[in-house]
């Protein structure tokens, strides 16, 4: 299927990154959110990230202006279905994703491919909430979307070959690399990454090291670009906790139990960078460890 028009549902950090890369790759993009403020913030963020790419010489000012022109915004789901591809990128809670998919379904064109950017939830289960399990797939981008090379492609039990091939083609056009994963909790990246982050929080809880010691150990000792606690703040602690719960519930092994300190931070609404406090305090110019 030749994909030209795309809708992105949810204008948070993943949604705005996805809209950014599609618009830059010449797709027409409709960006949806229930909040007008969220849409305005997303456009500001996309503008800033495109400007950063211009200043690094990665794209031209003309590319930037073209990308911005190709993005329109809406608060109405009804405006999002008459496209070739929809990418759902709302919050990582199954009840919220399922409700959005159900609300969207009556507005879709017959041929529209429907995808979810879920980082862990069963694709087969989400597909069952729509009228098109055969044209439904997991389409999982990494954060920050404009920088990260990988996209995970996850077929549900009913996904047809045409849908998979169409998305492979889209990934190539975005100049990214696809990895195919089976539909199991956390897929590949989060099955491996989240238990590492969760273990770092246990190491902090048990006093094995401070925030700084744990992060610099993994940065300098394992050559990770960010320490695990810094990365957790970057991803969002609510998202990390939601993914650990999906692993724990879906795989039934106690090794996936979320660390109680991670739960405590989320209960306190210390969600990382987006709330300006997590394992670091982001209220000043330089992030300061909180433990
Ligand atoms: N948009 C566009 N460009 C961006 C950007 C953004 N949002 N953020 C960073 N960049 C660009 C910078 O302009 C810079 O470009 P050049 O290479 O051309 O100079 C480059 O990215 C590096 O950025 P910085 O120099 O500002 O900072 P850095 O070197 O510290 O790198 C980072 C920042 C790329 C985020 C790096 O720290 C990193 O790779 N961190 C790990 C990120 C990661 O693991 N992501 C996956 C999270 S897991 C996930 O997303 C899955 C899930 O489901 C939870």
């Amino acid at each position: 299927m030749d994909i030209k028009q795309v809708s992105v549902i949810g204008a948070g950090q993943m949604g705005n990154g996805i809209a950014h890369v599609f618009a830059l790759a010449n797709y027409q993009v409709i960006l949806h959110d229930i909040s007008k403020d969220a849409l305005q913030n997303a456009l500001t963020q996309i503008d800033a990230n495109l400007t950063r790419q211009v200043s690094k010489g990665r794209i031209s000012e003309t590319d930037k202006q073209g990308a911005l022109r190709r993005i329109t915004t809406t608060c109405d789901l009804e405006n999002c279905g008459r496209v070739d591809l929809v990418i759902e990128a709302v919050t990582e809670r199954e009840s919220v994703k399922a409700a959005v998919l159900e609300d969207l379904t009556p507005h879709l064109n017959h041929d529209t491919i429907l995808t979810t950017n879920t980082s862990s939830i069963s694709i087969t289960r989400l597909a069952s909430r729509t009228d098109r399990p055969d044209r439904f797939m997991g389409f999982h981008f990494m954060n920050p979307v404009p920088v990260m090379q990988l996209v995970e492609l996850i077929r549900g039990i009913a996904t047809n070959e045409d849908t998979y091939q169409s998305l492979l083609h889209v990934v190539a056009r975005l100049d990214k690399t696809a990895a195919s994963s089976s539909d199991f909790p956390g897929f590949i990246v989060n099955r491996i990454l989240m238990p590492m982050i969760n273990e770092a929080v246990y190491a902090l809880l048990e006093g094995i090291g401070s925030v700084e010691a744990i992060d610099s150990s993994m940065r300098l000792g394992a050559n990770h670009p960010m320490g695990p606690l810094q990365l957790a703040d970057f991803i969002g602690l609510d998202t990390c906790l939601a993914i650990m719960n999906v692993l724990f519930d879906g795989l039934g092994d106690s090794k996936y139990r979320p660390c109680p300190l991670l739960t405590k931070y989320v209960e306190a609404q210390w969600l990382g960078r987006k709330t300006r406090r997590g394992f670091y305090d982001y209220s000043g110019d330089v992030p300061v460890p909180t433990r």
Side-chain angles (χ1 to χ4, degrees):
M1 182 180 175
D2 188 19
I3 290 169
K4 295 193 176 77
Q5 275 194 307
V6 177
S7 288
V8 180
I9 315 298
Q13 64 184 355
M14 295 308 290
N16 84 56
I18 294 168
H20 171 140
V21 296
F22 273 86
L24 207 48
N26 275 318
Y27 292 92
Q28 293 295 331
V29 179
I30 301 171
L31 180 59
H32 171 277
D33 203 283
I34 49 172
S35 149
K36 270 194 178 144
D37 286 351
L39 287 171
Q40 195 44 56
N41 290 341
L43 290 179
T44 307
Q45 191 64 54
I46 292 170
D47 193 317
N49 286 333
L50 286 166
T51 302
R52 188 195 324 223
Q53 288 175 301
V54 173
S55 67
K56 296 282 170 94
R58 298 249 181 253
I59 62 171
S60 69
E61 182 60 31
T62 315
D63 296 332
K64 174 188 153 179
Q65 294 306 334
L68 289 173
R69 265 199 310 276
R70 280 187 285 277
I71 301 175
T72 56
T73 59
T74 180
C75 288
D76 190 348
L77 267 188
E78 277 181 43
N79 298 331
C80 300
R82 306 273 168 250
V83 294
D84 308 311
L85 170 66
V86 176
I87 304 157
E88 170 280 304
V90 303
T91 191
E92 186 69 6
R93 282 216 308 277
E94 187 161 349
S95 56
V96 180
K97 287 189 181 291
V100 168
L101 292 171
E102 277 181 1
D103 290 349
L104 188 64
T105 295
H107 308 297
L108 298 173
N109 279 347
H110 177 264
D111 290 337
T112 303
I113 295 177
L114 183 54
T115 67
T116 171
N117 182 55
T118 180
S119 31
S120 58
I121 300 167
S122 163
I123 301 306
T124 301
R125 213 159 54 228
L126 289 174
S128 75
R129 308 297 287 264
T130 75
D131 64 346
R132 59 194 65 212
D134 52 335
R135 279 156 288 146
F136 188 94
M137 266 191 67
F139 198 20
H140 183 213
F141 290 81
M142 308 295 136
N143 186 23
V145 182
V147 181
M148 303 300 284
Q149 189 58 35
L150 185 79
V151 185
E152 285 183 307
L153 294 183
I154 310 103
R155 278 173 279 196
I157 197 165
T159 309
N160 66 29
E161 185 63 20
D162 277 357
T163 300
Y164 175 64
Q165 291 298 332
S166 297
L167 288 195
L168 270 182
H169 187 75
V170 171
V171 174
R173 204 171 131 188
L174 296 176
D175 208 16
K176 294 196 183 285
T177 304
S180 296
S181 165
S182 294
D183 186 17
F184 277 88
F187 316 130
I188 295 172
V189 169
N190 284 323
R191 174 77 179 263
I192 297 167
L193 180 66
M194 282 303 152
M196 181 199 70
I197 287 177
N198 197 48
E199 204 57 34
V201 187
Y202 269 115
L204 182 65
L205 178 67
E206 290 168 17
I208 294 171
S210 63
V211 167
E212 205 157 19
I214 291 168
D215 274 351
S216 57
S217 296
M218 295 307 286
R219 264 200 325 270
L220 305 179
N223 258 7
H224 291 189
M226 286 177 164
L229 300 171
Q230 190 187 8
L231 183 57
D233 276 0
F234 182 65
I235 294 167
L237 303 191
D238 50 343
T239 302
C240 294
L241 179 61
I243 297 170
M244 281 314 294
N245 278 321
V246 169
L247 293 177
F248 189 43
D249 295 343
L251 298 165
D253 189 324
S254 63
K255 73 180 176 182
Y256 299 111
R257 70 209 179 286
C259 177
L261 186 62
L262 180 61
T263 307
K264 190 77 73 200
Y265 270 52
V266 173
E267 285 170 352
Q269 291 295 306
W270 293 348
L271 306 182
R273 279 201 201 184
K274 62 185 163 191
T275 58
R276 314 196 107 223
R277 188 182 175 95
F279 295 110
Y280 293 82
D281 181 334
Y282 298 91
S283 52
D285 287 346
V286 181
V288 179
T290 51
R291 273 175 185 250

